[in-house]
Amino acid sequence: MGTAEAEALLCAALVSMVKPELAYSVAGQLTNSGTPAARAGLGAALQAKEPQRRQAAMNSLRSLRDNSPALAYYIAAMRPLSQRKYKQAYDLLKVAVELDPEGSRPFVGLG
């Protein structure tokens, strides 16, 4: 079984597995993958009925966001932005988007 197949199985398991208490373990595996497909699976789990599944997905998505290499560039861009050095801020935000095109913070900064 290839990585994409395993990821698809994990996504399906997170949304519909028999034991919701296993959601944290499955969501953790998807977090480690960090691919767009894994993010989509975590996003789908946010709609689950069981709170364990929703919370596991939310925690994993938050972890992906907070551990993104793009976050450092986003944070670095806030200083020149506040100093109205827009070109410098833009350049840093652009790097953040290139590093993590799935993240939303850099896009918000770019307007």
PDB file of all heavy atoms in Angstrom, residues 8-37:
ATOM      1  N   ALA A   8      -5.417   8.056   2.693  1.00  0.00           N
ATOM      2  CA  ALA A   8      -6.851   8.015   2.426  1.00  0.00           C
ATOM      3  C   ALA A   8      -7.571   7.148   3.455  1.00  0.00           C
ATOM      4  O   ALA A   8      -8.663   7.503   3.928  1.00  0.00           O
ATOM      5  CB  ALA A   8      -7.109   7.493   1.015  1.00  0.00           C
ATOM      6  N   LEU A   9      -6.961   6.029   3.832  1.00  0.00           N
ATOM      7  CA  LEU A   9      -7.551   5.163   4.856  1.00  0.00           C
ATOM      8  C   LEU A   9      -7.601   5.873   6.209  1.00  0.00           C
ATOM      9  O   LEU A   9      -8.585   5.768   6.944  1.00  0.00           O
ATOM     10  CB  LEU A   9      -6.772   3.857   4.971  1.00  0.00           C
ATOM     11  CG  LEU A   9      -6.968   2.874   3.821  1.00  0.00           C
ATOM     12  CD1 LEU A   9      -6.002   1.701   3.956  1.00  0.00           C
ATOM     13  CD2 LEU A   9      -8.400   2.376   3.784  1.00  0.00           C
ATOM     14  N   LEU A  10      -6.544   6.591   6.542  1.00  0.00           N
ATOM     15  CA  LEU A  10      -6.531   7.333   7.804  1.00  0.00           C
ATOM     16  C   LEU A  10      -7.609   8.420   7.813  1.00  0.00           C
ATOM     17  O   LEU A  10      -8.291   8.620   8.826  1.00  0.00           O
ATOM     18  CB  LEU A  10      -5.155   7.953   8.051  1.00  0.00           C
ATOM     19  CG  LEU A  10      -4.051   6.994   8.480  1.00  0.00           C
ATOM     20  CD1 LEU A  10      -2.698   7.691   8.448  1.00  0.00           C
ATOM     21  CD2 LEU A  10      -4.330   6.423   9.859  1.00  0.00           C
ATOM     22  N   CYS A  11      -7.767   9.103   6.703  1.00  0.00           N
ATOM     23  CA  CYS A  11      -8.799  10.147   6.608  1.00  0.00           C
ATOM     24  C   CYS A  11     -10.183   9.545   6.791  1.00  0.00           C
ATOM     25  O   CYS A  11     -11.010  10.077   7.544  1.00  0.00           O
ATOM     26  CB  CYS A  11      -8.717  10.871   5.272  1.00  0.00           C
ATOM     27  SG  CYS A  11      -7.258  11.906   5.086  1.00  0.00           S
ATOM     28  N   ALA A  12     -10.422   8.434   6.131  1.00  0.00           N
ATOM     29  CA  ALA A  12     -11.720   7.765   6.260  1.00  0.00           C
ATOM     30  C   ALA A  12     -11.927   7.267   7.684  1.00  0.00           C
ATOM     31  O   ALA A  12     -13.030   7.388   8.242  1.00  0.00           O
ATOM     32  CB  ALA A  12     -11.812   6.611   5.270  1.00  0.00           C
ATOM     33  N   ALA A  13     -10.875   6.739   8.280  1.00  0.00           N
ATOM     34  CA  ALA A  13     -10.982   6.232   9.652  1.00  0.00           C
ATOM     35  C   ALA A  13     -11.276   7.359  10.638  1.00  0.00           C
ATOM     36  O   ALA A  13     -12.058   7.189  11.572  1.00  0.00           O
ATOM     37  CB  ALA A  13      -9.697   5.511  10.048  1.00  0.00           C
ATOM     38  N   LEU A  14     -10.670   8.500  10.422  1.00  0.00           N
ATOM     39  CA  LEU A  14     -10.897   9.622  11.331  1.00  0.00           C
ATOM     40  C   LEU A  14     -12.352  10.071  11.318  1.00  0.00           C
ATOM     41  O   LEU A  14     -12.919  10.412  12.350  1.00  0.00           O
ATOM     42  CB  LEU A  14      -9.977  10.796  10.975  1.00  0.00           C
ATOM     43  CG  LEU A  14     -10.058  12.019  11.871  1.00  0.00           C
ATOM     44  CD1 LEU A  14      -9.731  11.658  13.324  1.00  0.00           C
ATOM     45  CD2 LEU A  14      -9.123  13.095  11.385  1.00  0.00           C
ATOM     46  N   VAL A  15     -12.946  10.050  10.159  1.00  0.00           N
ATOM     47  CA  VAL A  15     -14.328  10.504  10.020  1.00  0.00           C
ATOM     48  C   VAL A  15     -15.328   9.448  10.478  1.00  0.00           C
ATOM     49  O   VAL A  15     -16.368   9.779  11.031  1.00  0.00           O
ATOM     50  CB  VAL A  15     -14.608  10.933   8.560  1.00  0.00           C
ATOM     51  CG1 VAL A  15     -16.069  11.248   8.353  1.00  0.00           C
ATOM     52  CG2 VAL A  15     -13.757  12.133   8.209  1.00  0.00           C
ATOM     53  N   SER A  16     -15.006   8.166  10.289  1.00  0.00           N
ATOM     54  CA  SER A  16     -16.035   7.157  10.536  1.00  0.00           C
ATOM     55  C   SER A  16     -15.585   5.932  11.323  1.00  0.00           C
ATOM     56  O   SER A  16     -16.248   4.911  11.270  1.00  0.00           O
ATOM     57  CB  SER A  16     -16.601   6.699   9.189  1.00  0.00           C
ATOM     58  OG  SER A  16     -15.571   6.090   8.427  1.00  0.00           O
ATOM     59  N   MET A  17     -14.486   6.002  12.030  1.00  0.00           N
ATOM     60  CA  MET A  17     -14.031   4.821  12.772  1.00  0.00           C
ATOM     61  C   MET A  17     -15.014   4.450  13.877  1.00  0.00           C
ATOM     62  O   MET A  17     -15.769   5.300  14.355  1.00  0.00           O
ATOM     63  CB  MET A  17     -12.640   5.040  13.326  1.00  0.00           C
ATOM     64  CG  MET A  17     -12.576   6.036  14.460  1.00  0.00           C
ATOM     65  SD  MET A  17     -10.932   6.248  15.075  1.00  0.00           S
ATOM     66  CE  MET A  17     -10.375   7.556  14.031  1.00  0.00           C
ATOM     67  N   VAL A  18     -14.986   3.215  14.291  1.00  0.00           N
ATOM     68  CA  VAL A  18     -15.909   2.709  15.299  1.00  0.00           C
ATOM     69  C   VAL A  18     -15.643   3.343  16.663  1.00  0.00           C
ATOM     70  O   VAL A  18     -16.574   3.709  17.367  1.00  0.00           O
ATOM     71  CB  VAL A  18     -15.813   1.168  15.389  1.00  0.00           C
ATOM     72  CG1 VAL A  18     -16.710   0.649  16.489  1.00  0.00           C
ATOM     73  CG2 VAL A  18     -16.176   0.548  14.056  1.00  0.00           C
ATOM     74  N   LYS A  19     -14.398   3.508  17.033  1.00  0.00           N
ATOM     75  CA  LYS A  19     -14.051   4.039  18.357  1.00  0.00           C
ATOM     76  C   LYS A  19     -13.538   5.482  18.248  1.00  0.00           C
ATOM     77  O   LYS A  19     -12.388   5.712  17.905  1.00  0.00           O
ATOM     78  CB  LYS A  19     -12.989   3.167  19.016  1.00  0.00           C
ATOM     79  CG  LYS A  19     -13.456   1.767  19.312  1.00  0.00           C
ATOM     80  CD  LYS A  19     -12.370   0.995  20.011  1.00  0.00           C
ATOM     81  CE  LYS A  19     -12.854  -0.406  20.314  1.00  0.00           C
ATOM     82  NZ  LYS A  19     -11.852  -1.151  21.064  1.00  0.00           N
ATOM     83  N   PRO A  20     -14.395   6.442  18.563  1.00  0.00           N
ATOM     84  CA  PRO A  20     -13.962   7.848  18.453  1.00  0.00           C
ATOM     85  C   PRO A  20     -12.761   8.185  19.341  1.00  0.00           C
ATOM     86  O   PRO A  20     -12.016   9.108  19.035  1.00  0.00           O
ATOM     87  CB  PRO A  20     -15.190   8.638  18.899  1.00  0.00           C
ATOM     88  CG  PRO A  20     -16.326   7.716  18.762  1.00  0.00           C
ATOM     89  CD  PRO A  20     -15.790   6.337  18.939  1.00  0.00           C
ATOM     90  N   GLU A  21     -12.542   7.438  20.424  1.00  0.00           N
ATOM     91  CA  GLU A  21     -11.410   7.742  21.307  1.00  0.00           C
ATOM     92  C   GLU A  21     -10.063   7.499  20.618  1.00  0.00           C
ATOM     93  O   GLU A  21      -9.034   7.934  21.101  1.00  0.00           O
ATOM     94  CB  GLU A  21     -11.503   6.969  22.622  1.00  0.00           C
ATOM     95  CG  GLU A  21     -11.561   5.467  22.479  1.00  0.00           C
ATOM     96  CD  GLU A  21     -12.970   4.906  22.323  1.00  0.00           C
ATOM     97  OE1 GLU A  21     -13.925   5.675  22.129  1.00  0.00           O
ATOM     98  OE2 GLU A  21     -13.096   3.688  22.401  1.00  0.00           O
ATOM     99  N   LEU A  22     -10.064   6.812  19.483  1.00  0.00           N
ATOM    100  CA  LEU A  22      -8.834   6.622  18.713  1.00  0.00           C
ATOM    101  C   LEU A  22      -8.557   7.793  17.771  1.00  0.00           C
ATOM    102  O   LEU A  22      -7.544   7.824  17.087  1.00  0.00           O
ATOM    103  CB  LEU A  22      -8.914   5.324  17.903  1.00  0.00           C
ATOM    104  CG  LEU A  22      -9.020   4.035  18.714  1.00  0.00           C
ATOM    105  CD1 LEU A  22      -9.213   2.846  17.790  1.00  0.00           C
ATOM    106  CD2 LEU A  22      -7.797   3.856  19.586  1.00  0.00           C
ATOM    107  N   ALA A  23      -9.448   8.753  17.758  1.00  0.00           N
ATOM    108  CA  ALA A  23      -9.324   9.879  16.835  1.00  0.00           C
ATOM    109  C   ALA A  23      -8.022  10.655  17.032  1.00  0.00           C
ATOM    110  O   ALA A  23      -7.411  11.091  16.059  1.00  0.00           O
ATOM    111  CB  ALA A  23     -10.521  10.820  16.984  1.00  0.00           C
ATOM    112  N   TYR A  24      -7.574  10.810  18.274  1.00  0.00           N
ATOM    113  CA  TYR A  24      -6.347  11.581  18.518  1.00  0.00           C
ATOM    114  C   TYR A  24      -5.136  10.900  17.891  1.00  0.00           C
ATOM    115  O   TYR A  24      -4.265  11.562  17.327  1.00  0.00           O
ATOM    116  CB  TYR A  24      -6.138  11.801  20.016  1.00  0.00           C
ATOM    117  CG  TYR A  24      -7.113  12.794  20.583  1.00  0.00           C
ATOM    118  CD1 TYR A  24      -8.276  12.374  21.210  1.00  0.00           C
ATOM    119  CD2 TYR A  24      -6.886  14.161  20.460  1.00  0.00           C
ATOM    120  CE1 TYR A  24      -9.189  13.286  21.713  1.00  0.00           C
ATOM    121  CE2 TYR A  24      -7.783  15.085  20.959  1.00  0.00           C
ATOM    122  CZ  TYR A  24      -8.937  14.636  21.587  1.00  0.00           C
ATOM    123  OH  TYR A  24      -9.836  15.545  22.066  1.00  0.00           O
ATOM    124  N   SER A  25      -5.101   9.584  17.972  1.00  0.00           N
ATOM    125  CA  SER A  25      -3.987   8.839  17.387  1.00  0.00           C
ATOM    126  C   SER A  25      -3.987   8.955  15.864  1.00  0.00           C
ATOM    127  O   SER A  25      -2.949   9.214  15.246  1.00  0.00           O
ATOM    128  CB  SER A  25      -4.083   7.370  17.809  1.00  0.00           C
ATOM    129  OG  SER A  25      -3.051   6.631  17.224  1.00  0.00           O
ATOM    130  N   VAL A  26      -5.145   8.778  15.263  1.00  0.00           N
ATOM    131  CA  VAL A  26      -5.249   8.866  13.805  1.00  0.00           C
ATOM    132  C   VAL A  26      -4.968  10.295  13.339  1.00  0.00           C
ATOM    133  O   VAL A  26      -4.230  10.520  12.380  1.00  0.00           O
ATOM    134  CB  VAL A  26      -6.637   8.382  13.332  1.00  0.00           C
ATOM    135  CG1 VAL A  26      -6.816   8.620  11.839  1.00  0.00           C
ATOM    136  CG2 VAL A  26      -6.820   6.907  13.658  1.00  0.00           C
ATOM    137  N   ALA A  27      -5.527  11.265  14.027  1.00  0.00           N
ATOM    138  CA  ALA A  27      -5.292  12.672  13.658  1.00  0.00           C
ATOM    139  C   ALA A  27      -3.809  13.015  13.785  1.00  0.00           C
ATOM    140  O   ALA A  27      -3.269  13.760  12.960  1.00  0.00           O
ATOM    141  CB  ALA A  27      -6.136  13.598  14.533  1.00  0.00           C
ATOM    142  N   GLY A  28      -3.151  12.454  14.773  1.00  0.00           N
ATOM    143  CA  GLY A  28      -1.713  12.681  14.937  1.00  0.00           C
ATOM    144  C   GLY A  28      -0.910  12.165  13.751  1.00  0.00           C
ATOM    145  O   GLY A  28       0.042  12.806  13.299  1.00  0.00           O
ATOM    146  N   GLN A  29      -1.315  11.011  13.239  1.00  0.00           N
ATOM    147  CA  GLN A  29      -0.638  10.466  12.058  1.00  0.00           C
ATOM    148  C   GLN A  29      -0.846  11.378  10.838  1.00  0.00           C
ATOM    149  O   GLN A  29       0.076  11.591  10.057  1.00  0.00           O
ATOM    150  CB  GLN A  29      -1.141   9.048  11.756  1.00  0.00           C
ATOM    151  CG  GLN A  29      -0.732   8.029  12.790  1.00  0.00           C
ATOM    152  CD  GLN A  29       0.782   7.930  12.918  1.00  0.00           C
ATOM    153  OE1 GLN A  29       1.503   7.859  11.931  1.00  0.00           O
ATOM    154  NE2 GLN A  29       1.272   7.941  14.139  1.00  0.00           N
ATOM    155  N   LEU A  30      -2.046  11.899  10.710  1.00  0.00           N
ATOM    156  CA  LEU A  30      -2.318  12.818   9.599  1.00  0.00           C
ATOM    157  C   LEU A  30      -1.533  14.119   9.770  1.00  0.00           C
ATOM    158  O   LEU A  30      -1.065  14.705   8.794  1.00  0.00           O
ATOM    159  CB  LEU A  30      -3.813  13.091   9.478  1.00  0.00           C
ATOM    160  CG  LEU A  30      -4.640  11.900   8.982  1.00  0.00           C
ATOM    161  CD1 LEU A  30      -6.126  12.172   9.148  1.00  0.00           C
ATOM    162  CD2 LEU A  30      -4.301  11.574   7.541  1.00  0.00           C
ATOM    163  N   THR A  31      -1.381  14.560  11.012  1.00  0.00           N
ATOM    164  CA  THR A  31      -0.590  15.765  11.284  1.00  0.00           C
ATOM    165  C   THR A  31       0.856  15.543  10.854  1.00  0.00           C
ATOM    166  O   THR A  31       1.467  16.423  10.251  1.00  0.00           O
ATOM    167  CB  THR A  31      -0.632  16.123  12.782  1.00  0.00           C
ATOM    168  OG1 THR A  31      -1.984  16.295  13.166  1.00  0.00           O
ATOM    169  CG2 THR A  31       0.152  17.383  13.084  1.00  0.00           C
ATOM    170  N   ASN A  32       1.386  14.362  11.154  1.00  0.00           N
ATOM    171  CA  ASN A  32       2.765  14.056  10.768  1.00  0.00           C
ATOM    172  C   ASN A  32       2.939  14.068   9.254  1.00  0.00           C
ATOM    173  O   ASN A  32       3.998  14.425   8.758  1.00  0.00           O
ATOM    174  CB  ASN A  32       3.195  12.697  11.331  1.00  0.00           C
ATOM    175  CG  ASN A  32       3.346  12.731  12.831  1.00  0.00           C
ATOM    176  OD1 ASN A  32       3.525  13.783  13.431  1.00  0.00           O
ATOM    177  ND2 ASN A  32       3.253  11.575  13.454  1.00  0.00           N
ATOM    178  N   SER A  33       1.906  13.683   8.554  1.00  0.00           N
ATOM    179  CA  SER A  33       1.963  13.692   7.087  1.00  0.00           C
ATOM    180  C   SER A  33       1.947  15.128   6.577  1.00  0.00           C
ATOM    181  O   SER A  33       2.775  15.521   5.772  1.00  0.00           O
ATOM    182  CB  SER A  33       0.781  12.907   6.517  1.00  0.00           C
ATOM    183  OG  SER A  33       0.694  13.095   5.148  1.00  0.00           O
ATOM    184  N   GLY A  34       0.969  15.908   7.022  1.00  0.00           N
ATOM    185  CA  GLY A  34       0.894  17.321   6.675  1.00  0.00           C
ATOM    186  C   GLY A  34       0.599  17.636   5.220  1.00  0.00           C
ATOM    187  O   GLY A  34       0.707  18.786   4.810  1.00  0.00           O
ATOM    188  N   THR A  35       0.220  16.658   4.441  1.00  0.00           N
ATOM    189  CA  THR A  35      -0.056  16.880   3.017  1.00  0.00           C
ATOM    190  C   THR A  35      -1.411  17.553   2.841  1.00  0.00           C
ATOM    191  O   THR A  35      -2.234  17.566   3.760  1.00  0.00           O
ATOM    192  CB  THR A  35      -0.062  15.546   2.249  1.00  0.00           C
ATOM    193  OG1 THR A  35      -1.147  14.768   2.734  1.00  0.00           O
ATOM    194  CG2 THR A  35       1.249  14.801   2.401  1.00  0.00           C
ATOM    195  N   PRO A  36      -1.679  18.095   1.658  1.00  0.00           N
ATOM    196  CA  PRO A  36      -3.009  18.660   1.410  1.00  0.00           C
ATOM    197  C   PRO A  36      -4.131  17.638   1.623  1.00  0.00           C
ATOM    198  O   PRO A  36      -5.188  17.989   2.152  1.00  0.00           O
ATOM    199  CB  PRO A  36      -2.932  19.110  -0.056  1.00  0.00           C
ATOM    200  CG  PRO A  36      -1.480  19.415  -0.265  1.00  0.00           C
ATOM    201  CD  PRO A  36      -0.750  18.385   0.555  1.00  0.00           C
ATOM    202  N   ALA A  37      -3.888  16.382   1.251  1.00  0.00           N
ATOM    203  CA  ALA A  37      -4.916  15.354   1.465  1.00  0.00           C
ATOM    204  C   ALA A  37      -5.157  15.123   2.952  1.00  0.00           C
ATOM    205  O   ALA A  37      -6.303  14.947   3.394  1.00  0.00           O
ATOM    206  CB  ALA A  37      -4.510  14.048   0.784  1.00  0.00           C
TER     207      ALA A  37
END
